[in-house]
Amino acid sequence: MRRLLRLKRVGHGGTLDPAATGVLPIAVGKATRLLQYLRTDKAYRATIRLGIATTTDDLEGEIIASQSVTGLTLDEVKAALGQFEGIIQQVPPIYSAIQVQGKRLYELARAGETVEVPSRTVEVYGIEILDWRLGEFPELDVAIACGSGTYIRAIARDLGVVLQTGATLAALTRTLSSGFNLSDSLTFEQLEAQIQPGTFYPIPPADALGHLPAVTLSAKDAKAWCNGQRLSWNDELAQLSTNVGAGVTQDFPISQIALKNPPPYPGKILLRVYGEGERFLGIGQFIDAETQKMLIPQMVFESIS
């Protein structure tokens, strides 16, 4: 991206495993400051191969166990998958980028060091079976919608443990990330083809933050807010706001089921802040204190002179 756009300031909204494909939100220039405010939900299309266990929990690793699985039924698989929906405890793969003792897990694993990987709480909004293929090593295609930090490789591995067959991730495509869909994404080749004739236009920064409520400020208030001042939340501001305090939720489809995306910032309400002419100014925080309601600057994206 730096080479194609000739920009140094480039950031992304979540890594993908080397063998995975799919959506990777990328921000350029000062829009990198907005990455922290993107939605945290993700969705995947995965293929799980039963009967095989590997060191990395996908086909990139060394096979450590293998057995023929011919008597397994789809009903048994369905029953087992239910254990992985909702808020669950998950142990990340030993080959992952999580830091333990100041080092990445994959660095420790490659060095032959054995460490205890702590479990973490993750949320899986839903799992839907897309296809089931019988054979010596049956394969299961699933659509998974989940929150940040969920490892699909770990779900595949743990499904094999529950079924007592062993399992590993055979293929993975991220179909949605932070509100961006695979169908709206560009390959590097497509991007390059648009850059050369000058037809590439990045998504406007504010468009990536549609899950946040918004408020529009007057010229006077906008200038004060951009200068770091707190604004009293009066009746005028309340009338210019959208969905403040409404519990920011959105539906997004994963195959044929609709799942709720919870607010990414429990306990505080973040808002898109606009000035006159729909000019995006940045991110504000709505504070509802006992004595006063306020709108304070969280991140000023555009200043007003």
Side-chain angles (χ1 to χ4, degrees):
M1 285 296 296
R2 291 190 177 103
R3 177 182 61 80
L4 291 173
L5 297 174
R6 297 180 181 179
L7 288 173
K8 288 186 177 180
R9 198 172 179 185
V10 176
H12 63 78
T15 56
L16 276 169
D17 287 342
T21 60
V23 182
L24 180 63
I26 294 178
V28 299
K30 62 182 179 181
T32 55
R33 300 170 63 197
L34 299 175
L35 286 169
Q36 61 186 306
Y37 303 110
L38 294 179
R39 285 169 50 164
T40 58
D41 56 302
K42 295 176 173 62
Y44 297 87
R45 187 171 60 247
T47 298
I48 299 172
R49 185 173 297 173
L50 298 158
I52 295 175
T54 68
T55 53
T56 59
D57 302 325
D58 62 14
L59 291 182
E60 295 290 293
E62 180 183 342
I63 295 176
I64 54 178
S66 176
Q67 61 173 310
S68 176
V69 181
T70 56
L72 191 65
T73 67
L74 182 56
D75 286 339
E76 291 175 299
V77 174
K78 286 180 179 178
L81 276 176
Q83 301 181 33
F84 301 100
E85 292 184 305
I87 298 175
I88 63 172
Q89 292 297 310
Q90 184 182 79
V91 177
I94 59 172
Y95 282 86
S96 60
I98 294 172
Q99 287 197 353
V100 174
Q101 301 170 5
K103 292 186 177 181
R104 303 287 186 184
L105 280 177
Y106 64 78
E107 294 175 340
L108 296 171
R110 288 170 182 168
E113 297 185 35
T114 302
V115 296
E116 183 176 347
V117 183
S119 65
R120 61 202 304 190
T121 302
V122 298
E123 185 168 8
V124 177
Y125 307 136
I127 302 177
E128 183 184 11
I129 294 176
L130 303 177
D131 197 13
W132 168 245
R133 294 180 293 279
L134 293 171
E136 185 178 5
F137 301 104
E139 288 191 341
L140 177 73
D141 293 340
V142 291
I144 300 177
C146 58
S148 178
T150 306
Y151 278 91
I152 309 302
R153 282 185 289 148
I155 292 178
R157 176 201 65 206
D158 294 343
L159 177 64
V161 172
V162 172
L163 294 171
Q164 298 182 342
T165 61
T168 195
L169 188 66
L172 183 67
T173 299
R174 189 154 65 193
T175 56
L176 179 143
S177 180
S178 305
F180 298 101
N181 289 288
L182 182 60
S183 58
D184 298 322
S185 301
L186 294 174
T187 65
F188 285 115
E189 292 76 17
Q190 291 171 329
L191 176 63
E192 189 169 14
Q194 291 184 16
I195 290 174
Q196 290 175 350
T199 59
F200 170 67
Y201 299 99
I203 298 169
D207 289 3
L209 304 171
H211 58 290
L212 299 178
V215 62
T216 301
L217 304 180
S218 66
K220 179 182 176 182
D221 284 343
K223 186 174 182 179
W225 186 86
C226 288
N227 288 331
Q229 295 183 29
R230 301 183 174 201
L231 302 180
S232 295
W233 190 266
N234 51 35
D235 292 340
E236 181 182 359
L237 275 184
Q239 291 174 1
L240 293 171
S241 65
T242 305
N243 297 331
V244 174
V248 187
T249 59
Q250 282 195 350
D251 291 334
F252 65 91
I254 182 67
S255 189
Q256 300 300 315
I257 54 178
L259 304 163
K260 286 289 186 182
N261 176 42
Y265 297 94
K268 64 179 181 180
I269 298 176
L270 298 180
L271 301 91
R272 289 169 289 144
V273 178
Y274 292 87
E276 293 182 335
E278 299 185 359
R279 181 181 177 184
F280 176 61
L281 301 179
I283 303 295
Q285 183 177 351
F286 173 70
I287 301 294
D288 190 357
E290 291 184 4
T291 57
Q292 189 179 15
K293 295 180 180 181
M294 295 175 293
L295 176 67
I296 65 174
Q298 180 88 5
M299 190 279 296
V300 177
F301 189 76
E302 292 276 4
S303 59
I304 296 178
S305 57

